Amino acid sequence: HDPPKYWTIHGLWPDRAEDCNRTWHFNVTEIKDLMSDMRHYWPDVLHSSLNRTQFWKHEWEKHGTCAATLEVLNSQKKYFGKAIELYQHVDLNGCLLKAGIKPSSSYYKMTAIKEALTRFYGVTPKIQCLPPEEGEKAQTIGQIEFCFTKELQLVNCTVPEGGSNPVQAHLKLGTSELSVCNDTLPTYYPSEVQ
C-alpha cells in the first residue's frame, strides 16, 4: 500500500559473504532510536506486513552479521545507522532531480542516466532493471547499487573477475527478475511500479 515516491534502502551488503553469524540474532530494541528513520528510508516495499521488522531481520542476519567484521559496523545499531547515514550522504533522490531525471511517462536513455550519476558522484554505480514485459520495448529501472571501500568511500561498482556474482546480478523483485540494465534499451522510470 502507498509505496514511497522516493528511493529507499534495500541493504548494505559486504562482498563475498553471506550468513556470517547465524547465532547473532536480530533484536529490534537495539535500533529503537532509529525506528522513524528506518520506517521512512528502509521500508519493506515488497511485503507490507504488520511486522515491519522481518525485512530488517533478514538484512541483519544475512548481511549485517558479515559487515560486523568492520568495527564501524560491529553492532546492529552501527550497521543500520551507518547504512542510513550513507543513504543520506549519497542522496540519490536529490542527485537525479538535479540532473533532470525524474519519474516520467516518457523514456530515458540508460547511458544518459549512467552519465549523470557518474558525473555527480565521480564513480559508476550498478543500475538494475526489470526487463521489458511481453510486447514492450522498454526496461524499467528498479535498483541502483553504490559500492564502497571498507573505509566506506564511494568506488566504481565493477563486475568481479570470472563473471558476475549471481546473488547480486539477479535479484527477485516480487515475481520479476532484476538484472543489470541494458544500455541500448529505452528505460522507463515510473513513479511507482505496479
Side-chain angles (χ1 to χ4, degrees), residues 59-92:
E59 290 299 311
W60 169 252
E61 288 173 355
K62 185 169 183 180
H63 304 292
T65 60
C66 303
T69 57
L70 292 181
E71 194 177 325
V72 68
L73 301 171
N74 68 3
S75 69
Q76 280 177 205
K77 185 167 179 155
K78 285 184 186 177
Y79 172 74
F80 289 106
K82 183 55 80 173
I84 289 168
E85 198 182 301
L86 291 170
Y87 165 91
Q88 290 170 326
H89 171 71
V90 164
D91 184 23
L92 182 57

Side-chain angles (χ1 to χ4, degrees), residues 83-112:
I84 289 168
E85 198 182 301
L86 291 170
Y87 165 91
Q88 290 170 326
H89 171 71
V90 164
D91 184 23
L92 182 57
N93 296 293
C95 160
L96 288 170
L97 275 177
K98 282 187 190 110
I101 298 167
K102 49 186 181 288
S104 165
S105 55
S106 53
Y107 300 129
Y108 288 96
K109 283 193 162 83
M110 179 46 61
T111 48

Side-chain angles (χ1 to χ4, degrees), residues 2-184:
D2 305 327
K5 299 250 189 291
Y6 50 87
W7 290 94
T8 60
I9 300 172
H10 182 167
L12 180 61
W13 308 329
D15 279 349
R16 294 179 295 280
E18 266 180 48
D19 298 329
C20 287
N21 184 348
R22 281 293 198 180
T23 62
W24 194 347
H25 295 298
F26 178 71
N27 177 357
V28 76
T29 57
E30 285 187 37
I31 57 168
K32 62 181 182 299
D33 38 346
L34 297 173
M35 277 320 234
S36 68
D37 281 349
M38 291 289 290
R39 285 194 189 99
H40 186 75
Y41 301 122
W42 203 328
D44 184 340
V45 293
L46 297 185
H47 317 95
S48 68
S49 60
L50 292 171
N51 181 3
R52 285 271 174 75
T53 60
Q54 276 311 106
F55 180 41
W56 305 332
K57 177 181 189 288
H58 166 79
E59 290 299 311
W60 169 252
E61 288 173 355
K62 185 169 183 180
H63 304 292
T65 60
C66 303
T69 57
L70 292 181
E71 194 177 325
V72 68
L73 301 171
N74 68 3
S75 69
Q76 280 177 205
K77 185 167 179 155
K78 285 184 186 177
Y79 172 74
F80 289 106
K82 183 55 80 173
I84 289 168
E85 198 182 301
L86 291 170
Y87 165 91
Q88 290 170 326
H89 171 71
V90 164
D91 184 23
L92 182 57
N93 296 293
C95 160
L96 288 170
L97 275 177
K98 282 187 190 110
I101 298 167
K102 49 186 181 288
S104 165
S105 55
S106 53
Y107 300 129
Y108 288 96
K109 283 193 162 83
M110 179 46 61
T111 48
I113 295 173
K114 269 192 185 155
E115 279 162 18
L117 292 171
T118 303
R119 203 168 52 241
F120 195 87
Y121 294 107
V123 296
T124 310
K126 181 160 86 185
I127 308 175
Q128 296 176 327
C129 290
L130 297 166
E133 299 272 323
E134 205 66 48
E136 295 278 314
K137 64 177 179 11
Q139 62 192 345
T140 302
I141 195 165
Q143 177 164 285
I144 298 178
E145 204 171 290
F146 286 91
C147 300
F148 297 89
T149 63
K150 282 185 176 172
E151 293 71 43
L152 303 180
Q153 299 300 310
L154 281 168
V155 287
N156 288 327
C157 294
T158 52
V159 176
E161 287 303 307
S164 65
N165 174 344
V167 177
Q168 293 183 331
H170 291 288
L171 178 91
K172 284 189 169 51
L173 180 67
T175 55
S176 308
E177 294 266 330
L178 274 179
S179 54
V180 175
C181 301
N182 181 324
D183 278 354
T184 62

